[in-house]
Amino acid sequence: MRWRALALLSTAELLAMTLWFSATAVAPALAAEWTLDAGGVAWLTMAVQLGFVCGAALSALLNLADIIPARPLFTGAALLGALANALVVLAPGAGAAIALRFATGALMAGVYPPAMKMIATWFREGRGLAIGTIVGALTIGSATPHLVRAFATVDWRPVVLASSAMAIAAAALVAVGYRDGPFAFPRARFSWALAGSVLRHRETRLATLGYLGHMWELYAGWALVAIFARDLFLGHGAEPGAAGALAGVTGFAVIAIGGLGAVLAGVWADRLGRERVTIWAMVASGAGSLALGWLLAAPLWIVLPIALVWGFAIVADSAQFSAVITEVAPQDAVGTALTLQTSLGFLLTAFTIWLATTVSDRVGWGPAFSMLALGPVFGIAAMARLKNVRFAATSDVLAAHSRPESVTTESH
């Protein structure tokens, strides 16, 4: 039953999260139709990011993920997100489309964090693999726009409507086929203080800080990689059209391989420890960020394998921050903790995407990619601290159980 639940939720997550990237896939066509400059095109993506942040923050403040059962929350959010996305085809201009993209992002806060909580109800052992599979599905969805942009020449409206149809299918899958597993989390009552109590909880706070270090690097790196690849192929003599297509394929490959990284890291984390695997992944991705931007003139047979290893590592740890939250957060506040963690992470990405693209334009690829390595340094420090805290807590519990029980005698 749990493997069936994992397959169902992974499929639903992949289908629903196509809403996030639907406008990105057809951004050139939208730019031509609405005469958008580079900033306007960027807002089609940034609006979803900021919408998700606002939706997730509101959800955390109102405890929605802990007081509303996950199945209706996911289903309703996916259906409303499909509607908001479909209305883009009727938008009279870019302003209305950006507002609808913001609404779509806000509704995705009812899809992504609840899906991680839902699968955790089926997996106590193997939870890293389970959440890693969910994140792997999201990662492949993130990569798809690069492939569409490399090959698709169709009108943009069917692409947008197709993503809404996929989200409706995701809602139907969850509504009809999903039930909570045997390790369901207790329902919480509404409390304004719940989000604050989550932030004051030390282990949850450290896991969230580690996630922020990871997110500093992740989405900014994804935003840069296809543009970097285009410059790479142009520098090796490709024609502009061919360079664009090759860059799209490269961007897809580098991001999509992270889906495999998320799944394998889940297996390793279940066996070796979540903190340890997140630290290893951030060491590898941070090293890749330090190196990749300086290799623009290097042979392709050197650059492309390094980019693929970097893409594998940069998302490998993502699910494990969420898996840690399901284990260490107060059990009646897991949904709020996951939502708060993701909202803070995506808020940070709005800044790092802007910063990384600005640095790459003004200074070059080497400093832009190297700057991303600051996130893993910070994340490694947080997860090393969390590892020590959890080890100390486990040692205290074992010591308490190993003490001989005191015996009292009563005289009668």
Side-chain angles (χ1 to χ4, degrees):
M1 288 292 292
R2 68 178 188 160
W3 298 111
R4 174 185 176 277
L6 180 58
L8 184 148
L9 281 175
S10 298
T11 302
E13 185 74 7
L14 176 59
L15 292 173
M17 293 302 288
T18 58
L19 296 178
W20 194 303
F21 309 104
S22 61
T24 305
V26 293
L30 292 174
E33 178 148 339
W34 291 329
T35 60
L36 298 177
D37 58 13
V41 173
W43 268 106
L44 290 172
T45 300
M46 294 299 298
V48 184
Q49 302 276 122
L50 294 174
F52 180 85
V53 169
C54 292
L58 182 63
S59 176
L61 186 63
L62 299 178
N63 320 147
L64 296 183
D66 288 307
I67 61 178
I68 299 177
R71 183 165 58 125
L73 179 60
F74 184 107
T75 301
L79 289 174
L80 291 174
L83 175 62
N85 182 70
L87 288 175
V88 170
V89 304
L90 302 177
I98 288 170
L100 288 167
R101 297 301 293 157
F102 181 91
T104 302
L107 289 161
M108 290 299 93
V111 172
Y112 178 38
M116 293 186 289
K117 180 182 177 183
M118 290 156 73
I119 199 58
T121 69
W122 283 99
F123 287 81
R124 182 169 287 167
E125 294 183 1
R127 186 172 288 181
L129 167 62
I131 298 180
T133 303
I134 297 291
V135 173
L138 169 64
T139 302
I140 294 172
S142 303
T144 302
H146 293 289
L147 205 58
V148 173
R149 291 175 68 172
F151 295 108
T153 58
V154 298
D155 180 49
W156 64 269
R157 291 171 182 83
V159 175
V160 171
L161 292 176
S163 67
S164 288
M166 291 181 193
I168 292 170
L173 272 176
V174 171
V176 174
Y178 175 78
R179 298 294 183 275
D180 277 341
F183 310 118
F185 298 99
R187 292 274 296 277
R189 294 183 178 181
F190 172 74
S191 170
W192 289 111
L194 192 60
S197 68
V198 164
L199 286 175
R200 289 190 297 272
H201 186 257
R202 181 171 57 171
E203 289 90 339
T204 303
R205 186 170 64 249
L206 287 170
T208 300
L209 290 173
Y211 179 73
L212 292 178
H214 155 76
M215 290 296 277
W216 172 278
E217 182 186 33
L218 177 62
Y219 272 80
W222 280 358
L224 294 181
V225 66
I227 309 170
F228 169 80
R230 186 175 187 275
D231 285 353
L232 176 70
F233 288 115
L234 285 173
H236 283 78
E239 295 295 326
L246 289 169
V249 174
T250 302
F252 172 80
V254 170
I255 296 173
I257 199 172
L260 176 62
V263 174
L264 291 179
V267 175
W268 299 332
D270 289 333
R271 297 175 181 174
L272 305 173
R274 310 206 188 286
E275 296 87 354
R276 182 178 298 175
V277 169
T278 59
I279 289 169
W280 290 349
M282 285 187 283
V283 167
S285 66
S289 290
L290 285 173
L292 192 58
W294 304 100
L295 299 176
L296 195 64
L300 293 177
W301 63 268
I302 293 177
V303 183
L304 295 179
I306 290 175
L308 289 170
V309 172
W310 174 76
F312 178 95
I314 199 171
V315 76
D317 50 348
S318 189
Q320 301 317 308
F321 297 106
S322 301
V324 168
I325 289 289
T326 67
E327 294 171 346
V328 304
Q331 292 299 283
D332 63 343
V334 166
T336 295
L338 285 169
T339 306
L340 193 61
Q341 183 191 58
T342 53
S343 68
L344 293 173
F346 278 91
L347 178 61
L348 182 63
T349 65
F351 170 72
T352 56
I353 290 172
W354 169 82
L355 181 62
T357 52
T358 300
V359 171
S360 67
D361 286 341
R362 296 184 180 180
V363 185
W365 290 116
F369 273 99
S370 296
M371 179 198 67
L372 301 183
L374 294 173
V377 171
F378 183 82
I380 288 168
M383 296 309 287
R385 176 60 179 157
L386 177 60
K387 184 175 182 288
N388 292 335
V389 168
R390 293 186 77 183
F391 178 78
T394 303
S395 299
D396 289 345
V397 171
L398 293 174
H401 281 292
S402 65
R403 294 190 195 105
E405 296 182 1
S406 58
V407 178
T408 59
T409 58
E410 297 180 2
S411 57
H412 297 279

